[in-house]
Amino acid sequence: PLNVHLWLVLTEQRNAIVEGDSRLLELFPLAHSYPHYLGKLVSVEVTNNAQDYTSAGRTFLYQADITVDRISNSVGPSSGGTPILISGTGFVNTTLLSCRIGHHSIQATFLSRESVLCFSPPQLVVEASHGFLQHGMLRSYDFSHAARSLIRPIGAPPTVVFVEVSNNGIDFTNERHTFEYSLLALGGYYQPGVEIETFMECPRGSYCHGEGNKNFTLCPKGTYQPLKSQKQCVRCPVGYMCPEEGAPVPRLCPAGFVCDVTGTEHADQPCPSGHVCAAGTATTATTCGGDFFTGEISLTLSHAERTTTLRLGRAHRPEGHDLYFGGRFSACFDNSTDDFGLQASSVIGRVWSERHLLPLDGVTPIVPLRGRYCLDDACIKLEDASDFGVTDVSFDYASTGFALKRPLPCPAGTYCHPGTALNESTLDLFSTPQPCFEAGYCPEGSIKPSGTDHGCPVGFFCRVGKKQPCPVGTYCPFPNTFDPLPCEPGTFSFQLGQTKCSTCPVGYFCHKYGMVSPAVCPAGRVCSREGLKSPNLQCPAGFYCLNGTATSDPFRNDTTLRPYACKPGTYCISGTGYDDAKDGDFLFAQPCPAGFFCEAASISAKGSGPCPPGFVCPKGTSNPRPSPKGHFAQYFGTVEAAACLPGFYSPTIQSAQCYPCPPGTSCEVEGLVSASICPPGTYRSVHEDDGVPCVACPQGTWSKQWQCMLRALILGSVCVCMLKWLLLTCYFCLSSVVSPFAA
């Protein structure tokens, strides 16, 4: 200790000049010449033997002790910044002038030798975890270099601290003046100024963690805070992202991306390939399963978590892949048949053949019911595809009025790159589904333009990636077919999804390409083999063939689809189709010509032969008809019997000629079946002598008998009439008398 009583100028205080050493001459090179301070400069030398001292020229300045009489503003906020005016003596205007408030030393502002100004520092507190970074204790109340008794009065609360002053930053006063911090700003609040208890709510999008905050902190990226006065921020929920600092609300995950974990800063998880992600997609789990079109459930992997969305307690390792079940509606069933009846109806073809009909009439629309039918390989649909359920203790999804979504499979016929956002295709805009190759097959959820590795299956054709069953009348025998092939002549198909067409059955023919039903073999023709392009035979002569005839053998008894004999009275040339007789139309049976007779199965116009004598054969005769009584048919091929001429008669049928009237009778008209007896008084012998009618007895003869055959003989004066070869004597008889006494 040294009494100090000299007023000194700081700029004049320096070390002694030592020859050859000009270092550190001025003790206060930056000091001002005013004001003056009480002090005394002394030399400082060192010796080891108390006799021989060094001559370094170093000096030490004693200054008057500082005294602190009083302080103003002895109470201030815990956030610091309260101006404290300290009054006393011995203050020196140096850069080391400082105040110690509690355990914290701060630089003081020199005002005069009797006053300095200090600002209270923030009260140091324990700063805990921020929720997203954990770094432990930043500050502590106790420090090893300062005893607690030098910081605050014994027994005083931590808010009461000592205020001391030092000119050199080392030697502080010991006046024990105190300064009291007011209440700390609690968590969720901050105190921006120096006014006591001026607490402010932390705004939305920020947090105030711990106590004594002087300002709020913006929520970092990946978090948000929708409320005021909060101590921490909330991690961005699933289905949303928080790309900016200070977000009051999260943003909906944009289309084309997936926000499947909490704390997403930027949506950088692309939509899975083969899928479309609308805004708010919250998972990378898909439902299409593996690349197996079997209809069985299979496992698929979700996307791994990106490194940008690490979550607390994860040891800085991103979440890996998760397994999810998925599958496709991939099943086929085949009810194909070669029976043309069952292809278009519920009745077998034999029944239609026997009825000589077809199940298709060519007019009524009929939907094919048979073939090979396959499901469309669509992905499994979950009920929550458009309302994906997520729970979060800090976020009320129901309050948004917006439902989260799953990735939707890319539409059939298109494929989707990763990150596809829209469900409507725009060519060369790869954030939309793109059309597949022409002959490729792209079911739902395809990831490449060629579609599946299996390609378009047989029985189907594919255009711009869409699979369609080959329609009726066509077949698709090869994979990756672009256009179905029409059924060739000789085949037909009324079934879907066929790899080959059905062979035309017996009794039918298929004469053109693309037939959906066989054509019935026409009347007059025979279709006796399968696969015919046209009828192969004509109906044999003597028979007629209805439509659908399947054999040319009329004597087969195992089928009704055979030729039938033409009915009697007609004849059938080769190719006859009907047994109704239509003269001149040779598709129909022809009537047997006049003069001939035609028994069953006659093969020509001659039929069974010409009509024999004694018979007549008008047109259409099946059996010769005998000529009637009173008529005759003298020649072969007689069409109509002739009536017997006068002088002749025909007492029986089937007469080839008429008989002359016998003597004693007469046949005076045509067509007589019997002769008339000559009455008494007449006679008639033969046609050459007496003509047709009976002749009167000549004069001088008489006859009382019927059927007199010869004329009378005159014997002298006696008249005799021959009756039955007897002579009678006639006396004086006149002509036509019947008795000799008549005169």
Side-chain angles (χ1 to χ4, degrees), residues 301-342:
L301 291 174
S302 67
H303 286 191
E305 183 183 356
R306 312 285 287 190
T307 56
T308 56
T309 54
L310 293 178
R311 286 186 277 178
L312 182 62
R314 202 62 82 60
H316 306 291
R317 288 185 297 103
E319 186 176 281
H321 300 280
D322 288 329
L323 287 174
Y324 290 93
F325 286 107
R328 293 177 177 271
F329 294 99
S330 300
C332 294
F333 62 95
D334 194 337
N335 62 349
S336 300
T337 178
D338 285 331
D339 189 299
F340 76 92
L342 294 178

Side-chain angles (χ1 to χ4, degrees), residues 523-526 538-546 549 551-556 562-567 570-580 586-590 599-604:
R525 299 293 185 269
V526 178
Q538 284 190 328
C539 193
F543 298 85
Y544 69 94
C545 298
L546 298 176
T549 299
T551 178
S552 60
D553 184 359
F555 303 106
R556 282 182 56 176
R562 64 178 187 269
Y564 290 89
C566 285
K567 62 185 177 181
T570 64
Y571 70 94
C572 295
I573 64 173
S574 177
T576 299
Y578 304 98
D579 65 342
D580 295 332
F586 293 99
L587 185 60
F588 292 81
Q590 298 298 302
E599 297 176 339
S602 294
I603 63 174
S604 68

Side-chain angles (χ1 to χ4, degrees), residues 82-432:
T82 301
I84 302 174
L85 182 62
I86 302 173
S87 301
T89 59
F91 301 132
V92 179
N93 187 12
T94 68
T95 57
L96 297 178
L97 180 64
S98 57
C99 295
R100 185 177 68 193
I101 303 175
H103 61 260
H104 189 68
S105 296
I106 60 174
Q107 190 174 15
T109 302
F110 179 83
L111 299 179
S112 68
R113 290 192 299 263
E114 290 79 20
S115 61
V116 294
L117 179 64
C118 292
F119 292 89
S120 64
Q123 183 173 357
L124 302 181
V125 296
V126 176
E127 190 169 320
S129 170
H130 283 277
F132 52 91
L133 289 177
Q134 193 168 16
H135 44 64
M137 305 284 286
L138 294 182
R139 299 181 178 91
S140 175
Y141 288 120
D142 297 326
F143 292 85
S144 60
H145 66 274
R148 182 172 297 179
S149 61
L150 300 179
I151 298 174
R152 64 176 180 269
I154 297 175
T159 56
V160 178
V161 295
F162 291 133
V163 178
E164 307 292 351
V165 182
S166 173
N167 282 329
N168 59 6
I170 297 175
D171 302 311
F172 287 91
T173 61
N174 196 24
E175 304 291 342
R176 297 296 193 260
H177 295 279
T178 60
F179 178 85
E180 184 178 2
Y181 283 100
S182 62
L183 294 176
L184 298 175
L186 300 178
Y189 294 84
Y190 68 98
Q191 190 173 25
V194 297
E195 293 81 1
I196 299 176
E197 299 182 2
T198 55
F199 301 140
M200 305 280 295
E201 289 183 318
C202 287
R204 300 171 65 222
S206 68
Y207 70 101
C208 297
H209 194 74
E211 298 177 344
N213 292 290
K214 193 173 182 62
N215 201 348
F216 60 85
T217 304
L218 293 177
C219 290
K221 295 179 180 179
T223 65
Y224 74 102
Q225 181 51 261
L227 304 176
K228 296 180 180 181
S229 305
Q230 298 303 304
K231 298 179 181 180
Q232 61 183 6
C233 295
V234 184
R235 290 183 63 86
C236 213
V238 171
Y240 292 81
M241 66 173 184
C242 300
E244 298 102 3
E245 293 181 348
V249 291
R251 289 188 183 182
L252 192 65
C253 194
F257 293 91
V258 179
C259 301
D260 56 342
V261 294
T262 60
T264 299
E265 297 181 13
H266 297 280
D268 56 358
Q269 180 77 275
C271 187
S273 57
H275 290 75
V276 179
C277 292
T281 301
T283 179
T284 58
T286 60
T287 59
C288 295
D291 192 18
F292 307 103
F293 296 87
T294 61
E296 297 180 354
I297 298 298
S298 58
L299 291 172
T300 55
L301 291 174
S302 67
H303 286 191
E305 183 183 356
R306 312 285 287 190
T307 56
T308 56
T309 54
L310 293 178
R311 286 186 277 178
L312 182 62
R314 202 62 82 60
H316 306 291
R317 288 185 297 103
E319 186 176 281
H321 300 280
D322 288 329
L323 287 174
Y324 290 93
F325 286 107
R328 293 177 177 271
F329 294 99
S330 300
C332 294
F333 62 95
D334 194 337
N335 62 349
S336 300
T337 178
D338 285 331
D339 189 299
F340 76 92
L342 294 178
Q343 286 189 17
S345 70
S346 59
V347 181
I348 61 174
R350 179 63 183 270
V351 174
W352 291 104
S353 297
E354 294 292 343
R355 297 177 63 186
H356 303 278
L357 296 174
L358 281 173
L360 299 179
D361 59 10
V363 178
T364 304
I366 300 179
V367 178
L369 301 177
R370 289 184 177 266
R372 184 168 180 263
Y373 295 85
C374 292
L375 300 179
D376 57 1
D377 300 317
C379 299
I380 292 176
K381 302 295 189 299
L382 298 181
E383 293 182 355
D384 64 348
S386 298
D387 190 4
F388 184 67
V390 178
T391 57
D392 193 307
V393 296
S394 302
F395 187 77
D396 183 9
Y397 285 96
S399 65
T400 65
F402 185 87
L404 301 183
K405 297 176 176 59
R406 287 182 178 270
L408 298 176
C410 206
T414 63
Y415 71 99
C416 291
H417 290 275
T420 299
L422 301 176
N423 206 23
E424 295 183 0
S425 179
T426 300
L427 192 62
D428 295 333
L429 180 60
F430 292 100
S431 61
T432 65

Side-chain angles (χ1 to χ4, degrees), residues 499-512:
T499 58
K500 64 175 183 178
C501 295
S502 301
T503 303
C504 222
V506 173
Y508 297 82
F509 71 102
C510 301
H511 58 288
K512 61 183 179 179

